[in-house]
Amino acid sequence: MSGLVDNVLANLNSDQIGAIASRLGVDPAQAQAAIEHAVPLIVGGMAQNASSPAGANALNNALGAHGGDLSGILGSVLGGDAGSGIGGAILGHIFGGNQGAANQGLGQATGLGTQDAGQLMAILAPLVMGALANHAQGQGVGAGGLGGMLTQEVQQVQQQGGSAGGLLNSVLGNSGGLAGILQSAGGLLGAFTKR
């Protein structure tokens, strides 16, 4: 995994994963595996946005409202309704009109289903934004460096392969954009169940 993805995953302890699993109505092992797919997908969406100067500026401006203690961020998200709150708003900016396709692809690849996949990404989006804000501030990365930094993160995930890398490749490597995720979701589900 990459530094940013690893940072997010490292900040999720077994109790928090259990709370997410309970929210989704799945067992912790399935939640853990789904989280390991969702975080790179969110980072990949951010990288796509930050690939243009306007997108990088918008993301950089948004980071000012995030950051801080990641456990505290997750606690506040789990205490509220992530889907219609800050997480849903973040995903709307990241994926735009392709959010449904991203949810569906993640849901198929992980066995969560579209609705639970969307809820999982809404729970994780503020955590990923917080980790990115902390990372960017710690490294002194501004709008000009965000695109390159996020692209590097995505490349590391893609090079690792596996079903998370395949899911990301189908999103970012297809000229159809996020709709391409649906074409490979069936194969990814097979890879996911063999883990």
Side-chain angles (χ1 to χ4, degrees):
M1 289 289 167
S2 69
L4 180 61
V5 171
D6 280 342
N7 185 17
V8 173
L9 296 177
N11 274 282
L12 289 168
N13 64 38
S14 59
D15 289 342
Q16 292 166 326
I17 291 169
I20 292 171
S22 176
R23 175 74 73 93
L24 299 176
V26 299
D27 65 76
Q30 185 179 8
Q32 173 77 42
I35 289 165
E36 291 172 4
H37 285 73
V39 172
L41 185 57
I42 294 168
V43 171
M46 289 177 172
Q48 254 186 342
N49 281 350
S51 64
S52 72
N57 278 327
L59 182 57
N60 188 57
N61 291 338
L63 291 180
H66 299 278
D69 174 46
L70 297 186
S71 291
I73 292 170
L74 183 61
S76 67
V77 170
L78 285 173
D81 179 13
S84 61
I86 185 80
I90 291 169
L91 292 175
H93 289 293
I94 294 172
F95 294 112
N98 292 319
Q99 187 174 344
N103 292 348
Q104 188 173 355
L106 178 66
Q108 288 178 353
T110 61
L112 281 183
T114 303
Q115 185 174 347
D116 285 344
Q119 187 176 3
L120 176 63
M121 289 212 295
I123 290 168
L124 295 173
L127 194 63
V128 176
M129 282 291 284
L132 178 59
N134 291 345
H135 190 72
Q137 290 161 6
Q139 302 292 319
V141 175
L146 268 181
M149 183 184 80
L150 287 166
T151 298
Q152 199 171 34
E153 297 280 338
V154 168
Q155 288 169 348
Q156 289 172 2
V157 173
Q158 288 173 320
Q159 287 168 359
Q160 286 217 295
S163 54
L167 180 64
L168 199 52
N169 281 330
S170 71
V171 174
L172 302 178
N174 187 293
S175 61
L178 289 168
I181 200 171
L182 302 175
Q183 296 171 354
S184 61
L188 291 173
L189 182 55
F192 168 76
T193 55
K194 293 175 187 163
R195 287 186 66 196

